[in-house]
Amino acid sequence: MQVLDGRHCFAHLTIEENLHTGAFVRKPSAKQIEQLLEKIYHYFPRLRKLRKNQAG
């Protein structure tokens, strides 16, 4: 995953959509994306609860 410069996010997207956007540059498979998301949610469990909220 990649964090946008300055840690900005796309405010009109959900948290999870922003995470998917960060994964896009690596061109992972759907399974790899799910594994990456699980890893992120492991380190930041609160994000799992908030993942459907708008990021902005």
Side-chain angles (χ1 to χ4, degrees):
M1 297 275 175
Q2 178 177 337
V3 176
L4 298 172
D5 188 26
R7 302 200 184 273
H8 295 283
C9 62
F10 296 109
H12 63 282
L13 299 177
T14 66
I15 291 170
E16 190 161 79
E17 288 168 336
N18 270 281
L19 292 173
H20 277 266
T21 302
F24 181 73
V25 296
R26 296 178 66 185
K27 299 182 182 174
S29 68
K31 183 177 180 176
Q32 288 173 318
I33 288 174
E34 289 307 313
Q35 290 171 340
L36 288 168
L37 288 176
E38 284 304 314
K39 190 174 189 177
I40 289 168
Y41 295 146
H42 172 75
Y43 289 116
F44 304 99
R46 191 157 180 234
L47 283 181
R48 183 185 302 277
K49 295 176 185 174
L50 301 173
R51 70 179 184 243
K52 299 298 179 189
N53 291 357
Q54 198 167 7

